[in-house]
């Protein structure tokens, strides 16, 4: 189906999936090979190796689809008909209900150019405040905690290769052996400590490295980190010079940590006090050491405070900004970092600027050639945006680019109701995922190897995505779709050429926190390694942040006092277990892509629930049985996997499956008060035989 630009020529690009953005070769036939790049050193995981099979996949969307009514099937239509219909309906709904009648939902998998143009499209072409994206589900708690502590949010403020020399690395809620396998190649010299309720492959590696696996009750990392901070103080491991020279706020933090001696913390989190002391001793005794968090620590109704608690421990030990040591967050989606910098977040404008800041509005409005007062204010966060759809004061139309919310958003039964209540659902996708198939209009778009653009990886390094082959006939790029809609809405200033969009993004980001103004396609194509901020064409970029100062006006990191708060939903007699959710190696996110790759689907074909054998037996279940996992919101079907190393009070579900196997039928949409991230990692459930 796909036609090579030049079939024999291979093009240097990056994997379509996660934030490690492993280097790939892709040729004009769509064949994929590993490519030497610092993050992956030539290796790819199974998802990366098999990504090429989606290019000419038989289920590939290759023509726009539309339905006359919700009860009618989707039918092929031409692009003019589809875009014309969408533009007309958007204007009608806005004329009747106001500009916020149209909502936009973006994604951290979109290129920088797409994220930027989508944000501009919402604010300028639609004039709506209702735009947010799936990064709310992903990174927002770590981002908010990083901003609060360090004054800037860049997941890893140092290159991945710095980890090669690490002696001790603590991974809190990060199963990188499955979620970013090549990253493990940077941790081979380190003693690893893995904090995870489950004995994951990463936890196994920790034990093999002479380290430890700490197995907290889901949702109690904050207390664990407080107990460790207490131990650090009492055992004399705190770096007093660093605290005095580079931080503020220790006394307030200590007032709380003082009350969480390790034995008391153990009673809440279940991690032995002796292990807390041992790990703190390791971190303090090494000269090159890191604390890294990922979604296990973050996807909680108190995720910002939980990450803050890990940051406080790292600061007390003097890690952030010290050469060879540090604190970081392992960003998830391919462009998870760039996706949160260019204005598809409800409260932001390009350059990581606040949409509520008059100076930021004036700058960006200047680049866009509009009156600053015409720009809408902040909108609703992803979960709240979805919850408002089709309501009297909520959006009547939704445009989705790059997210499969019917599988990946919390409490999907409610999301399905809200989508059904819309007057118009438009989804741009490459494959017929669950959300696309529920739409009124489906727009088929190009895949990674068929387009040009940039991505920003987990280190804040900007990378070039390059085109190896032409998209199938009938398929357009996301940029062409956005530009085509703007054109039909009668609004000028929406280029579809990626380089032109990037140059505009550079200008819009200039002077902002995430300043890309010095980064150009030419510099990237010449092989330069550019990490933002990069404020001038002759600026070398910033691989390491915080070496001299943190980004607050006083140059100091802020220690913020945080205390234990229980998860939003706790087990009770009816729902006696804590369910947590996450990922497996062979599937990506909502599974819209990887469930369609035969090699991957063959390995994990269906949803499963990890259960301690005693817990399974109590529920009348045995290994291999189908179970119903029941919460207050819904039920997910999953096959029982008995796992003796799991906590008996906890079960685990991957969220990669749809319909009745969707883990998000049970999850709790409770939100963190600061980041508005939902509590994907804890809810109360019971198990029943199916
Ligand atoms: N194979 C694969 N790789 C991926 C992805 C994918 O879908 N599949 N997605 C990418 C994306 S977008 C992301 S965000 C990253 C996510 O990467 P990770 O954060 O590594 O992945 P998760 O499986 O969501 O969560 C990690 C671990 O947190 C644990 N956990 C659950 N509750 C708690 C808790 O309260 N405390 C602690 N300490 N741990 C807890 C879970 O048991 C799980 O093993 O992966 C990226 N890479
Ligand atoms: N229970 C539970 N739920 C979770 C999580 C969890 O740990 N537990 N994790 C959350 C996290 S961290 C994340 S990041 C989200 C991710 O979940 P989603 O936001 O659903 O992400 P994907 O499954 O990657 O969806 C991407 C969709 O976009 C399509 N697509 C791929 N590339 C492009 C493109 O270039 N353009 C367009 N228009 N479409 C494209 C794909 O085919 C797919 O349908 O899930 C969240 N949901
Ligand atoms: S680790 Fe991530 S970027 Fe690398 S091949 Fe796997 S999915 Fe792709
Ligand atoms: Mo994510």
């Amino acid at each position: 189906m796909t036609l090579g630009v030049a079939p024999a020529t291979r093009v240097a690009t990056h994997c379509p999936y996660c934030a490690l953005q492993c280097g790939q070769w892709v040729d004009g036939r769509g064949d994929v090979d590993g490519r030497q790049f610092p993050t992956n050193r030539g290796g790819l995981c199974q998802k990366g190796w098999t990504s090429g099979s989606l290019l000419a996949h038989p289920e590939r969307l290759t023509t726009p689809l539309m339905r006359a009514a919700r009860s009618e099937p989707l039918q092929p239509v031409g692009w003019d008909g589809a875009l014309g219909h969408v533009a007309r309906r958007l204007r009608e709904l806005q004329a009747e209900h106001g500009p916020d009648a149209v909502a936009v939902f973006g994604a951290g998998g979109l290129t920088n150019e797409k994220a930027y143009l989508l944000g501009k499209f919402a604010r300028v072409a639609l004039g709506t405040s209702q735009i947010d994206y799936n990064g709310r589900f992903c990174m927002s708690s770590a981002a908010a905690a990083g901003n609060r502590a360090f004054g800037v949010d860049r997941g890893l403020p140092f290159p991945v290769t710095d980890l090669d020399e690490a002696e001790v690395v603590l991974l809190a809620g990060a199963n990188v052996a499955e979620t970013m396998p090549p990253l493990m190649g940077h941790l081979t010299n380190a003693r690893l400590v893995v904090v995870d309720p489950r004995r994951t492959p990463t936890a196994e590696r920790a034990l093999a490295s002479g380290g430890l696996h700490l197995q907290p009750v889901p949702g109690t990392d904050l207390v664990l980190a407080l107990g460790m901070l207490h131990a650090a103080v009492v055992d004399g491991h705190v770096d007093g010079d660093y605290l005095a020279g580079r931080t503020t706020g220790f006394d307030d933090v200590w007032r709380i940590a003082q009350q969480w001696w390790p034995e008391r913390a153990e009673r809440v989190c279940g991690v032995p006090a002796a292990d807390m002391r041992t790990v703190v001793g390791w971190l303090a005794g090494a000269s090159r050491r890191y604390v890294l968090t990922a979604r296990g620590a973050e996807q909680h109704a108190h995720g910002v405070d939980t990450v803050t608690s890990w940051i406080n421990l790292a600061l007390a030990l003097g890690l952030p900004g010290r050469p060879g040591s540090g604190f970081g967050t392992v960003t998830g989606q391919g462009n998870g970092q760039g996706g949160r910098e260019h204005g598809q977040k409800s409260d932001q404008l390009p350059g990581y600027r606040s949409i509520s800041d008059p100076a930021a509005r004036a700058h960006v409005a200047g680049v866009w050639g509009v009156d600053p007062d015409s720009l809408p204010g902040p909108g609703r966060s992803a979960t709240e945006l979805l919850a408002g759809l089709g309501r009297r004061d909520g959006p009547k139309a939704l445009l989705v680019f790059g997210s499969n919310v019917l599988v990946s958003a919390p409490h999907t039964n409610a999301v399905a109701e809200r989508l059904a209540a819309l007057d118009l659902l438009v989804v741009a996708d490459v494959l017929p995922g669950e959300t696309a198939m529920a739409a009124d209009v489906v727009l088929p778009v190009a895949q990674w190897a068929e387009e040009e653009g940039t991505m920003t990886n987990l280190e804040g390094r900007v990378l070039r995505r390059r085109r190896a082959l032409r998209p199938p006939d009938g398929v357009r790029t996301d940029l062409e779709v956005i530009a085509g809609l703007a054109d039909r809405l009668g609004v000028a200033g929406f280029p579809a050429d990626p380089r032109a969009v990037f140059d505009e993004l550079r200008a819009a980001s200039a002077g902002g926190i995430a300043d890309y103004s010095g980064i150009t396609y030419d510099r990237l194509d010449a092989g330069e390694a550019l990490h933002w901020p990069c404020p001038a064409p002759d600026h070398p970029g910033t691989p390491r942040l915080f070496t001299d100062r943190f980004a607050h006006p006083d140059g100091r990191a802020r220690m913020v006092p945080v205390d234990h708060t229980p998860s939003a939903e706790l087990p009770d007699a009816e729902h006696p277990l804590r369910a947590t959710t996450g990922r497996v190696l062979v599937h990506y996110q909502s599974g819209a892509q990887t469930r369609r790759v035969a090699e991957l689907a063959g390995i994990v074909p269906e949803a499963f629930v990890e259960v301690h054998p005693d817990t399974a037996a109590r529920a009348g279940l045995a290994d291999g049985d189908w179970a119903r996992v029941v919460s207050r919101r819904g039920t997910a079907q999953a096959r029982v996997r008995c796992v003796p190393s799991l906590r008996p009070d906890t079960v685990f579900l991957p969220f990669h499956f749809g319909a009745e196997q969707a883990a998000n039928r049970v999850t709790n949409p409770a939100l963190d008060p600061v980041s508005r991230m939902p509590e994907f990692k804890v809810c109360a459930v019971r198990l029943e035989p199916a």
Side-chain angles (χ1 to χ4, degrees):
M1 187 197 307
T2 41
L3 284 176
V5 171
T9 315
R10 56 182 201 169
V11 167
T13 189
H14 296 268
C15 177
Y17 297 119
C18 86
L20 201 59
Q21 284 295 289
C22 296
Q24 275 189 343
W25 293 112
V26 183
D27 71 16
R29 291 176 299 267
D31 288 341
V32 166
D33 207 350
R35 179 171 68 86
Q36 282 298 330
F37 189 73
T39 59
N40 65 309
R41 298 185 179 132
L44 298 173
C45 78
Q46 282 152 291
K47 299 183 298 301
W49 283 119
T50 55
S51 52
S53 68
L54 291 174
L55 289 165
H57 195 278
E59 283 184 82
R60 183 79 193 265
L61 296 169
T62 55
T63 176
L65 303 170
M66 239 162 79
R67 65 176 101 233
R70 279 291 157 78
S71 52
E72 301 290 321
L74 285 163
Q75 302 283 0
V77 289
W79 274 100
D80 270 339
L83 294 180
H85 172 78
V86 172
R88 199 164 47 246
R89 289 295 288 134
L90 296 182
R91 279 299 183 237
E92 283 168 9
L93 290 166
Q94 288 191 314
E96 195 180 338
H97 306 283
D100 280 357
V102 178
V104 177
F105 201 95
L110 302 178
T111 60
N112 289 318
E113 291 79 358
K114 297 176 191 181
Y116 167 81
L117 204 66
L118 200 59
K120 177 180 174 183
F121 176 75
R123 273 63 173 249
V124 176
L126 296 171
T128 180
S129 70
Q130 299 297 299
I131 175 168
D132 210 51
Y133 79 123
N134 69 0
R136 261 317 156 175
F137 301 158
C138 180
M139 275 297 308
S140 54
S141 287
N147 279 323
R148 197 161 76 171
F150 307 124
V152 65
D153 149 40
R154 206 182 84 191
L156 296 186
F158 46 80
V160 160
T161 43
D162 281 10
L163 296 170
D164 292 338
E165 306 298 323
E167 295 160 52
V168 180
V169 178
L170 182 144
L171 294 159
N175 180 16
V176 284
E178 291 196 82
T179 53
M180 296 188 183
L183 188 62
M184 294 308 286
H186 298 279
L187 300 174
T188 48
N189 295 318
R191 189 201 286 273
L192 300 179
V193 177
V194 167
V195 183
D196 197 306
R198 303 187 299 135
R199 176 71 48 87
T200 60
T202 318
E204 300 280 5
R205 290 282 291 270
L207 295 174
S209 75
L212 270 174
H213 173 208
L214 310 183
Q215 222 169 342
V217 176
T220 64
D221 283 44
L222 196 160
V223 171
L224 171 60
L226 280 172
M228 291 170 72
L229 179 57
H230 187 104
V233 172
V234 170
D235 298 348
H237 294 314
V238 163
D239 187 334
D241 290 344
Y242 176 96
L243 283 184
R246 301 210 57 186
T247 71
T248 59
F250 175 77
D251 292 344
D252 292 337
V253 169
W254 175 240
R255 254 189 286 284
I256 295 172
Q258 200 170 21
Q259 300 159 33
W260 288 101
W261 57 95
E263 283 73 13
R264 179 172 177 231
E266 173 178 346
R267 287 204 295 275
V268 173
C269 71
V271 173
D275 288 352
M276 297 183 206
R277 296 193 173 95
T278 302
V279 170
V280 169
W282 288 341
L283 282 167
S287 57
R288 293 184 301 275
R289 54 255 156 83
Y290 292 84
V291 172
L292 303 177
T293 69
R295 304 309 84 75
E298 300 159 10
Q299 289 172 326
H300 295 279
H302 306 285
V304 178
D305 284 355
T306 302
V307 176
T308 299
S309 197
W310 286 117
I311 291 175
N312 286 342
L313 176 68
L315 287 169
L317 298 171
L319 273 51
R322 182 192 295 270
S325 294
F327 173 88
T329 278
V330 185
T331 303
Q333 297 184 81
N335 197 29
Q337 181 69 51
R340 62 187 191 263
E341 299 163 356
H342 308 301
Q344 60 176 332
K345 195 158 174 267
S346 67
D347 51 359
Q348 284 183 7
L349 290 172
Y352 216 120
R353 288 183 160 92
S354 164
I355 201 167
S356 308
D357 169 10
R361 293 169 65 87
H363 171 81
V364 175
V367 174
W368 289 347
V370 299
D371 179 351
D373 293 335
S374 72
L375 297 179
R380 296 187 189 130
S381 77
T383 310
E384 294 160 294
L385 184 151
L386 295 173
L389 295 176
R391 298 199 190 275
R392 201 159 49 82
D393 61 344
K396 308 294 185 283
L398 176 70
L399 309 178
V400 181
F401 287 81
S403 183
N404 189 7
V405 291
L406 271 177
V407 177
S408 57
H411 192 9
T412 42
N413 290 343
V415 174
E417 272 174 31
R418 291 297 98 217
L419 295 186
L422 285 169
D423 289 301
L424 180 68
L425 174 62
V426 181
V427 176
D429 207 310
V430 298
L431 289 159
E434 285 77 1
T435 312
M437 288 302 94
D440 302 295
V441 182
V442 182
L443 303 171
V445 292
Q447 295 196 44
W448 92 111
E450 301 160 349
E451 63 182 14
E452 302 280 332
T454 60
M455 306 282 278
T456 304
N457 77 355
L458 76 169
E459 327 160 291
R461 177 171 171 181
V462 182
L463 310 172
R464 279 279 278 118
R465 169 180 279 195
R466 293 192 185 85
R467 174 168 145 150
L469 33 81
R470 273 194 290 275
D473 288 341
V475 165
R476 295 193 180 174
T477 66
D478 288 293
L479 292 180
E480 288 167 341
V481 170
I482 299 166
L485 279 174
D487 187 44
R488 282 167 182 81
L489 290 166
V491 184
F494 285 82
D497 171 50
R499 192 184 280 254
V501 177
F502 190 75
D503 284 338
E504 203 183 295
L505 176 164
R506 293 171 53 213
S509 78
I513 293 171
D515 190 330
Y516 281 50
S517 58
I519 302 173
T520 63
Y521 274 33
D522 289 342
R523 290 185 75 182
L524 296 172
D525 288 341
E528 281 193 75
L530 298 173
H531 302 71
W532 69 257
C534 180
D538 57 355
H539 188 284
T542 315
R544 290 176 192 82
L545 294 168
F546 315 143
T547 47
D548 303 321
R549 62 193 312 279
F550 294 98
H552 289 301
D554 62 0
R556 289 165 178 265
R558 292 185 187 156
M559 297 183 81
V560 179
V562 292
D563 204 349
H564 173 53
T565 320
S567 297
E569 185 176 76
L570 294 173
D572 60 13
E574 245 182 285
H575 303 92
L577 300 166
R578 281 183 168 86
T580 191
T581 63
R583 296 161 163 81
V584 301
L585 172 59
V586 296
H587 284 297
Y588 192 68
Q589 316 276 59
S590 72
Q593 291 155 287
T594 49
R595 279 186 272 132
R596 292 184 162 82
V597 176
E599 292 104 303
L600 303 178
I603 297 171
V604 182
E606 62 205 2
F608 61 86
V609 55
E610 290 184 1
V611 192
H612 189 277
D614 297 345
T615 308
R618 258 199 303 283
L621 289 160
D623 195 65
D625 287 353
W626 278 94
R628 289 160 45 85
V629 184
V630 184
S631 80
R632 290 190 179 82
R633 291 156 297 281
T635 299
Q637 312 260 7
R639 203 184 274 286
V640 172
R641 276 195 192 175
C642 283
V643 179
S645 60
L646 188 63
R647 300 182 55 93
D649 56 7
T650 300
V651 301
F652 170 83
L653 294 151
F655 78 100
H656 307 298
F657 300 89
E660 65 281 353
Q661 294 183 18
N664 280 319
R665 288 195 164 191
V666 305
T667 51
N668 186 357
L671 300 181
D672 182 284
V674 177
S675 68
R676 320 305 286 167
M677 174 182 245
E679 186 146 81
F680 286 121
K681 289 292 194 263
V682 192
C683 72
V685 300
R686 68 168 176 270
L687 294 181
E688 296 171 353

